Amino acid sequence: MDLLKIVKVHPLFWVILGSGIITGYFKEVIMMFLIVFIHEMGHGWTAKRFGWRLTKIELLPFGGVAETEEYGNRPVKEEALVIIAGPLQHLWLIALSFICLQFQWWSASDHAIFLFHNLTILAFNLLPIKPLDGGKLLFVLQTAFLPYRKALYTSFYSSLVFLTLFWCVALSILPFHLNLIVVLSFLAVHHYLEWRQRHFIFMRFLIERFEKKAKLVSRMRPVFVNGDEKIADVIKKLRRNCQHMIVLHDTGKAVEEEKIIEAFFNQKKRMLPIGAVF
């Protein structure tokens, strides 16, 4: 019941639902709403099980967006499970539809429509485009192998490439499909807003590490740098799920991660060489 209190419906969803009702597709509209709702409950329930701080779950025509107070420091496996939990809901929904074929109130036509919407939403959400589940999962996997900031930028560029390709393919096949154009426009706007917020996203990652590092560490990882490297450049090498020890090649001196982050937050020290500060 706690999850239901934070569920919101995006205005874009209402537009598409309204257009479906006006054009006489009421049953399909209800099916789509139900599928998307259960999809998002999969994300929300799994996140709650892991103790995530959920603030809002917003329903979109092709899935949804869960707003949390988690900023990239949860274990990779944990975040991946939260992301996958949404698409997994479609599997039992499809199986349920086959079971319901035994009853008169669930016709073969209902089954075909329900199956189509399930598979369409599932396939669409698995595209490697942000903020779809496929795009989120790609980013999480990249953070397992790359420093967080580099993964942030790499995932954005790769998502933008896939979005551009999707725009070209979709509009060449269905150039006048209003709902498709609305969804594509939403994805484009999301990319624009994420690019503008990229520094803020990275800062939240650092702040959470600085304030709650004891709860987030899974292993120690040394980072070797030269004394002439700027604090602002060293900070870009931090990874998720690691407690870092910054080691200066020149002197062999080791500096704790929190001291580097604290220096980064100091405007006077941010652009100084790490060797001059420590």
Side-chain angles (χ1 to χ4, degrees), residues 245-262:
M245 185 63 71
I246 315 301
V247 181
L248 279 69
H249 275 302
D250 314 22
T251 62
K253 184 177 181 179
V255 184
E256 296 177 351
E257 172 189 317
E258 53 266 30
K259 292 183 179 180
I260 297 295
I261 297 177
E262 186 176 8

Side-chain angles (χ1 to χ4, degrees), residues 98-128:
F98 277 100
I99 295 173
C100 289
L101 281 173
Q102 304 175 51
F103 304 100
Q104 293 183 352
W105 50 267
W106 191 253
S107 66
S109 175
D110 293 333
H111 172 71
I113 295 171
F114 192 72
L115 198 64
F116 172 77
H117 284 306
N118 259 291
L119 293 176
T120 300
I121 294 174
L122 174 61
F124 187 75
N125 263 277
L126 291 178
L127 291 174

Side-chain angles (χ1 to χ4, degrees), residues 96-275:
L96 180 63
S97 184
F98 277 100
I99 295 173
C100 289
L101 281 173
Q102 304 175 51
F103 304 100
Q104 293 183 352
W105 50 267
W106 191 253
S107 66
S109 175
D110 293 333
H111 172 71
I113 295 171
F114 192 72
L115 198 64
F116 172 77
H117 284 306
N118 259 291
L119 293 176
T120 300
I121 294 174
L122 174 61
F124 187 75
N125 263 277
L126 291 178
L127 291 174
I129 301 171
K130 292 183 174 183
L132 306 179
D133 292 334
K136 293 178 181 178
L137 187 60
L138 179 61
F139 170 55
V140 170
L141 295 177
Q142 287 174 335
T143 62
F145 302 99
L146 299 172
Y148 187 84
R149 186 180 182 279
K150 186 173 183 179
L152 184 65
Y153 277 70
T154 302
S155 67
F156 175 83
Y157 291 129
S158 60
S159 178
L160 187 61
V161 169
F162 283 115
L163 176 60
T164 302
L165 291 174
F166 187 60
W167 261 94
C168 296
V169 173
L171 294 181
S172 64
I173 298 174
L174 297 169
F176 304 110
H177 195 288
L178 179 59
N179 287 349
L180 180 60
I181 293 175
V182 170
V183 170
L184 288 173
S185 299
F186 171 83
L187 294 176
V189 170
H190 173 84
H191 279 70
Y192 169 73
L193 294 177
E194 179 167 309
W195 177 252
R196 292 193 61 181
Q197 295 176 355
R198 64 192 185 281
H199 300 302
F200 177 64
I201 295 172
F202 183 57
M203 289 292 284
R204 290 192 308 183
F205 167 75
L206 295 176
I207 292 171
E208 187 174 59
R209 294 189 65 84
F210 185 70
E211 294 180 345
K212 302 179 180 180
K213 53 186 180 299
K215 298 180 181 180
L216 305 170
V217 173
S218 62
R219 64 186 185 276
M220 180 64 71
R221 183 186 183 92
V223 176
F224 297 94
V225 300
N226 296 318
D228 60 352
E229 291 187 49
K230 297 177 181 178
I231 296 290
D233 293 326
V234 174
I235 209 75
K236 298 174 184 178
K237 300 181 180 182
L238 301 187
R239 298 171 181 255
R240 71 187 299 167
N241 305 137
C242 299
Q243 177 68 27
H244 302 84
M245 185 63 71
I246 315 301
V247 181
L248 279 69
H249 275 302
D250 314 22
T251 62
K253 184 177 181 179
V255 184
E256 296 177 351
E257 172 189 317
E258 53 266 30
K259 292 183 179 180
I260 297 295
I261 297 177
E262 186 176 8
F264 175 75
F265 290 148
N266 188 324
Q267 292 285 350
K268 296 180 180 179
K269 297 180 179 179
R270 181 177 299 179
M271 300 308 296
L272 294 177
I274 185 173

